[in-house]
Each structure stands twice: as C-alpha cells, then as structure tokens.
Amino acid sequence: MYSYVDARGRRRERGGPEGGPSVVEIVYDPEDPEGTTTVGRATVGQLIGGLIIALVLGLPMTLLGLSLVGPAVAALFA
C-alpha cells in the first residue's frame, strides 16, 4: 500500500497484490490526482510479456483446434 498527501492536503492511497518489487516508481500529476497514482514501468513490461506469451502459446493452439474441428464439421455434412 502506497500512501501520500497531495498538494491539496488530501491523503491518497494505492494498493496492489503482494509480492511486488520493493522499489517502484510512482507518478503523480496534481492536475489529475484521481487518475495518476499509477505504478511505473513494471506494469507495462508485465502487459507486454503477457501479450507475447498469449500469442506464442495461443496462436498455435488455436490453429491446432481449427485443424481438428474443420474435418469434423465436414464429416457432419458429408
């Protein structure tokens, strides 16, 4: 849990799942205090890594599934 006081004196908090890095970059914009308590670069890296894993594993599995379903559907109409 990250807690701080903004320029207007209001306490802001940001929490997330356990086990994150011990040091993070927190970005704060006084013009948009509600939407800018974001955790820095690690979040983007995790998103990109997840997308790469999904493509590497998901695309071949999808093609395999379609190759198995195609002949089965053709056999139904034959």
Side-chain angles (χ1 to χ4, degrees):
M1 176 71 71
Y2 304 97
S3 179
Y4 62 95
V5 177
D6 68 12
R8 296 183 181 136
R10 285 183 264 168
R11 177 166 294 287
R12 307 274 181 187
E13 294 182 346
R14 169 83 176 169
E18 303 251 351
S22 58
V23 177
V24 295
E25 175 185 351
I26 298 177
V27 181
Y28 173 72
D29 180 5
E31 299 296 320
D32 184 19
E34 297 299 326
T36 59
T37 54
T38 59
V39 178
R41 297 180 202 105
T43 306
V44 174
Q46 291 170 348
L47 174 64
I48 292 171
L51 289 173
I52 290 171
I53 290 172
L55 286 174
V56 167
L57 297 177
L59 187 59
M61 295 304 284
T62 301
L63 294 175
L64 176 65
L66 290 175
S67 71
L68 295 174
V69 169
V73 171
L76 287 175
F77 294 105

